[in-house]
Amino acid sequence: MTSSLRRWAPWAALAVVLAVALVIGSRPAGGPTTSADRVRHIAAELRCPTCRSQSALESDAEVSRAMRAEIQRRVDAGETDAEIRAYFVSKFGKDILLRPEGRGVSALVWILPVVALVAAIAGLVVAFRRWRPRDVTVSDDDRRLVEDALHGGAT
């Protein structure tokens, strides 16, 4: 293995591990199985319009109770999760979603942290490469000093 390949192999392995972790982490989990699970799941993704700091699932506000009842009604009617979320977005606007959509300008919320992490790692690599001493020559006197220090001898 060449020295260049030896130097970059750990970085390549790190990139592969990071990519695999991102793929695994971004896969959706198995969806809710019962209608009550679906209602809780959808309500947890919607913001309480009056509380703003809680989801419709966590809030005890009257509007959140009405939202949960409407979600239950729509689940029982056979609507998909996406259709139910779209209904609430049409009624309250995109701010009702606790988790922004992954496309358009909202995709920046998901992409920017990854870009920042990659830029930070690249910056560290560049900084460490610059800090490494280059073309250092070791004199015979330096070698003797090291040998004496290692073997406990005096100079």
Side-chain angles (χ1 to χ4, degrees):
M1 204 185 307
T2 66
S3 66
S4 150
L5 183 57
R6 259 188 238 140
R7 186 173 44 221
W8 288 104
W11 291 106
L14 179 64
V16 168
V17 168
L18 180 62
V20 169
L22 286 172
V23 167
I24 290 172
S26 66
R27 285 191 341 203
T33 54
T34 66
S35 68
D37 287 341
R38 283 187 61 206
V39 169
R40 281 192 297 279
H41 177 73
I42 295 167
E45 293 180 339
L46 299 175
R47 185 182 317 274
C48 172
T50 58
C51 305
R52 288 293 192 198
S53 63
Q54 292 181 318
S55 70
L57 178 66
E58 299 166 331
S59 174
D60 288 331
E62 183 63 35
V63 69
S64 290
R65 284 193 291 263
M67 286 174 69
R68 290 191 298 267
E70 181 65 20
I71 293 168
Q72 182 67 57
R73 188 186 71 70
R74 290 176 177 273
V75 165
D76 292 342
E79 290 186 27
T80 66
D81 293 5
E83 290 171 332
I84 297 170
R85 279 190 297 273
Y87 164 77
F88 283 102
V89 167
S90 71
K91 189 170 181 177
F92 294 101
K94 287 187 178 189
D95 285 345
I96 197 75
L97 298 175
L98 284 173
R99 188 174 63 176
E101 297 174 347
R103 58 185 183 277
V105 175
S106 299
L108 291 176
V109 172
W110 301 105
I111 294 170
L112 285 178
V114 175
V115 170
L117 177 66
V118 170
I121 290 171
L124 285 173
V125 168
V126 168
F128 287 140
R129 288 185 61 103
R130 286 185 181 170
W131 289 340
R132 188 174 359 153
R134 303 208 186 262
D135 300 329
V136 175
T137 57
V138 180
S139 70
D140 289 334
D141 289 336
D142 291 335
R143 290 183 205 279
R144 269 193 304 275
L145 285 172
V146 170
E147 284 296 321
D148 287 345
L150 288 174
H151 294 81
T155 53

